[in-house]
Amino acid sequence: MSQEKSYLKKIIDKLLKFNPHLVFVENTINIVALEYLQSKGVTVVSKLKPKVVDNIKRVTKMRKKIEKLYYISKLLPDQVVGTCKRIYFQRFEHETERKTIMFLEDE
């Protein structure tokens, strides 16, 4: 188990070289990876639909999404790092239903 944690941290350290504030994940994320990213001050948004990730990629002008984290050392920052002018959250409530939606504004 500690070998797995060590390996995950090593891979995530490569991701952290890009200095992300926010990481978007299509599926679930390993709890060790999530806690490690959070300990480094990185917010993780997970369980996103592929179409949503593609829209984020388009809005932030990210050229390529990371398909497999262990390929990260082969990528350049300008390929996988996107930017946006503003990120904000808005809560919507309707009767008993509540939803918080994240908005990304283009530069």
Side-chain angles (χ1 to χ4, degrees), residues 31-43:
I31 190 69
V32 173
L34 176 64
E35 289 173 352
Y36 189 59
L37 283 165
Q38 289 175 337
S39 76
K40 299 296 183 179
V42 178
T43 301

Side-chain angles (χ1 to χ4, degrees), residues 10-71:
K10 191 175 180 182
I11 290 173
I12 291 169
D13 282 336
K14 291 178 184 180
L15 174 67
L16 291 172
K17 288 181 182 179
F18 295 126
N19 298 314
H21 299 279
L22 192 58
V23 172
F24 296 100
V25 180
E26 266 184 32
N27 298 309
T28 58
I29 183 168
N30 178 292
I31 190 69
V32 173
L34 176 64
E35 289 173 352
Y36 189 59
L37 283 165
Q38 289 175 337
S39 76
K40 299 296 183 179
V42 178
T43 301
V44 177
V45 180
S46 62
K47 299 180 186 173
L48 298 171
K49 294 178 182 173
K51 184 178 177 183
V52 172
V53 174
D54 288 338
N55 286 337
I56 291 168
K57 182 180 163 217
R58 181 182 47 78
V59 168
T60 62
K61 296 173 182 65
M62 188 173 76
R63 291 184 10 215
K64 184 182 251 183
K65 68 181 178 183
I66 301 170
E67 298 292 339
K68 300 284 183 194
L69 195 55
Y70 50 85
Y71 291 134

Side-chain angles (χ1 to χ4, degrees), residues 93-107:
E93 295 183 28
H94 180 70
E95 296 175 10
T96 60
E97 199 173 337
R98 292 182 186 167
K99 215 165 222 191
T100 302
I101 299 179
M102 179 175 53
F103 293 89
L104 300 172
E105 286 187 357
D106 198 359
E107 291 187 288

